[in-house]
Amino acid sequence: MSPRTPYRICLALLVASAGLHAAPAAVGDGEAAALSQLISQGEFQTALARADRAIAADPGNAQLRFQRAVALMDLGRNDAAMQAFTALTEEFPELPDPYNNIALLDVRAGKYELACRALRTALRNDPQHAVARANLAEVYLLLAEQTLRLAVAQSPADRGLQHRLEAVRALAGTPAAAHATAAR
């Protein structure tokens, strides 16, 4: 399994995760809303520093900790973001959004099966979580593309497999060139 993923699907997951910047707990926390605003403006480092200060004053606040983890993720500090989201799932296992973001990090790492597991947990916690459901569909497409790519590599003369692979790529909205790069 290649750790690289097709660009458009990752982008779709990242765009879908934009809704995750909403706080997972009670609405109305002004500091969490301010952090969300900073993140939406691309001020990730500022949001992280502000989140650290706010969490020092209120370490049990799930909203603040979630926003901090989102800032880490947006800064590309994936290991630290994964640790932060995982800690949230341990302390607040009923929240769907940390699992959804864990899935995004798993996709970035090419761990599609783990991403599926995290998204199914998010959906168990909230069956109406549209972003998690859409992301699960995207991950299933990634798994289908990956499996068909391997099948075509093992049976390159099988035109039926090649047509299925092309169909999955078309459905996913990813050009063949993106897959060629990802397959390296």
Side-chain angles (χ1 to χ4, degrees):
M1 170 165 35
S2 170
R4 289 183 252 173
T5 56
Y7 173 75
R8 293 187 120 209
I9 292 178
C10 282
L11 182 59
L13 282 166
L14 187 57
V15 168
S17 75
L20 298 175
H21 294 182
V27 179
D29 184 343
E31 188 62 19
L35 292 171
S36 181
Q37 181 68 25
L38 286 169
I39 290 167
S40 70
Q41 295 171 347
E43 298 290 332
F44 310 128
Q45 194 61 48
T46 302
L48 180 60
R50 188 166 171 175
D52 285 338
R53 287 190 302 274
I55 291 167
D58 187 4
N61 188 312
Q63 289 180 303
L64 297 174
R65 291 173 51 203
F66 181 82
Q67 294 300 336
R68 180 182 185 278
V70 169
L72 287 167
M73 184 175 69
D74 287 341
L75 284 166
R77 294 174 52 188
N78 294 337
D79 291 340
M82 180 64 84
Q83 290 174 354
F85 286 126
T86 299
L88 281 168
T89 65
E90 291 167 356
E91 293 179 53
F92 306 95
E94 73 283 359
L95 297 177
D97 289 330
Y99 290 103
N100 192 57
N101 285 47
I102 285 170
L104 175 59
L105 292 168
D106 285 337
V107 166
R108 286 181 180 176
K111 299 175 182 178
Y112 306 144
E113 294 290 343
L114 290 175
C116 283
R117 188 177 315 146
L119 290 165
R120 285 192 296 267
T121 301
L123 288 168
R124 261 194 312 277
N125 290 350
D126 180 2
Q128 304 305 313
H129 199 287
V131 173
R133 190 162 308 282
N135 284 345
L136 183 58
E138 295 280 353
V139 174
Y140 283 148
L141 285 173
L142 286 169
L143 283 167
E145 189 273 338
Q146 179 185 62
T147 303
L148 286 167
R149 189 172 13 95
L150 293 172
V152 166
Q154 293 170 343
S155 301
D158 188 333
R159 298 297 301 156
L161 285 175
Q162 291 176 359
H163 288 298
R164 280 186 231 148
L165 177 58
E166 291 167 10
V168 167
R169 287 178 174 164
L171 183 61
T174 55
H179 294 284
T181 302
R184 290 186 194 165

